[in-house]
Amino acid sequence: MNRIIYIILFSFLFIQCEDDKHIAVSNKNVEGRYIHLEAENIYLYVPKKVKLYSNDEYVQYINGIENKQFRKMERARYLQMKYGSAGNFYIMASEDSEIDVTFRTVPYIPINKEVSQEILKYLNRDHKAGGRILGLESSFSRAGIIKKGDDRIFRAIFLYKGIDLLTGKNAEIYTYFYLVNREGKSFVLSFNSRKAYDFDSYVQKIRL
């Protein structure tokens, strides 16, 4: 169990979790488009300006980042996702760097309170550490298990505040983390955005 939890969470940050309970989840008519991950036969629903990057394209994007510190951190994050754990991973982002989305397939694991506590044990300290590295203040919004029909979704939402390394200006960065069980499959999604979006609705519109 611990090994699978580690695989799931190795490339993603997390935060405190509420008890296992039903959480209302959005399924609104948000604007976006589908990206087909052919190898997984999954259609992700993402904001319109987000596009899927190949590995080579994303490496070129990283090399083009002017801020040396941010470029180094983004390269480390990319390499961690690529080589750090099992499963296929995909990177999507908007060209204006407002939103990035990461997706990873993981071994199937039931989502319950025990799993939630394991997640906390591994990653509570990593979220704070990430804030120290980025020079940003971290704060918690909410987290817990969403139950809708046979679907189980483990969701966490948190916020970074501080000076954006890319712009040198005050910024807020929202992170929405989802571990999803749907139709016998498990996968992880992480949305990072400089604006608040209804990402719950985007996750609900994923087609398998």
Side-chain angles (χ1 to χ4, degrees):
M1 176 70 77
N2 286 349
R3 187 182 70 84
I4 295 176
I5 291 286
Y6 184 73
I7 289 173
I8 289 173
L9 298 171
F10 190 83
S11 302
F12 297 89
L13 296 176
F14 199 66
I15 190 64
Q16 305 172 49
C17 179
E18 299 172 356
D19 290 337
D20 182 0
K21 62 182 181 180
H22 178 81
I23 297 175
V25 61
S26 297
N27 191 9
K28 299 176 184 176
N29 187 26
V30 291
E31 292 189 0
R33 68 187 189 93
Y34 280 98
I35 291 178
H36 185 201
L37 306 181
E38 294 184 16
E40 321 303 335
N41 196 25
I42 291 177
Y43 292 82
L44 298 182
Y45 195 69
V46 298
K48 284 185 175 180
K49 58 186 177 181
V50 170
K51 74 169 191 175
L52 176 66
Y53 281 81
S54 68
N55 285 341
D56 288 343
E57 288 172 338
Y58 204 74
V59 168
Q60 290 178 12
Y61 161 75
I62 293 172
N63 292 337
I65 296 174
E66 292 184 4
N67 183 285
K68 184 182 295 186
Q69 184 180 1
F70 184 77
R71 184 171 65 247
K72 181 179 179 180
M73 288 188 297
E74 187 62 17
R75 182 175 289 113
R77 184 175 80 110
Y78 168 77
L79 292 174
Q80 187 181 58
M81 286 190 292
K82 185 175 182 179
Y83 299 112
S85 60
N88 298 327
F89 88 97
Y90 302 84
I91 296 179
M92 290 144 276
S94 60
E95 292 184 0
D96 61 5
S97 300
E98 181 185 298
I99 305 171
D100 75 68
V101 184
T102 52
F103 174 94
R104 178 180 291 282
T105 59
V106 295
Y108 180 83
I109 185 171
I111 297 174
N112 52 39
K113 187 174 181 179
E114 179 187 0
V115 170
S116 302
Q117 295 306 315
E118 287 293 317
I119 290 172
L120 289 177
K121 183 174 68 175
Y122 280 106
L123 292 182
N124 259 335
R125 63 181 180 271
D126 287 351
H127 180 255
K128 295 177 182 177
R132 288 194 295 269
I133 292 171
L134 293 168
L136 300 173
E137 176 186 352
S138 63
S139 62
F140 168 71
S141 177
R142 58 191 180 275
I145 297 174
I146 299 167
K147 300 178 180 179
K148 187 172 183 180
D150 293 330
D151 290 356
R152 294 293 182 271
I153 302 172
F154 190 65
R155 178 191 66 184
I157 306 169
F158 55 98
L159 175 67
Y160 281 130
K161 288 184 178 181
I163 302 300
D164 190 321
L165 290 175
L166 290 177
T167 65
K169 299 178 180 179
N170 285 323
E172 294 182 338
I173 302 173
Y174 298 84
T175 297
Y176 286 63
F177 172 97
Y178 300 88
L179 167 61
V180 181
N181 275 356
R182 183 173 295 173
E183 297 183 16
K185 294 183 178 181
S186 294
F187 50 88
V188 172
L189 273 166
S190 181
F191 297 85
N192 296 297
S193 175
R194 286 169 174 77
K195 293 182 180 179
Y197 280 79
D198 180 11
F199 288 118
D200 284 1
S201 291
Y202 286 94
V203 172
Q204 289 298 317
K205 294 180 184 299
I206 292 173
R207 296 175 182 170
L208 274 67

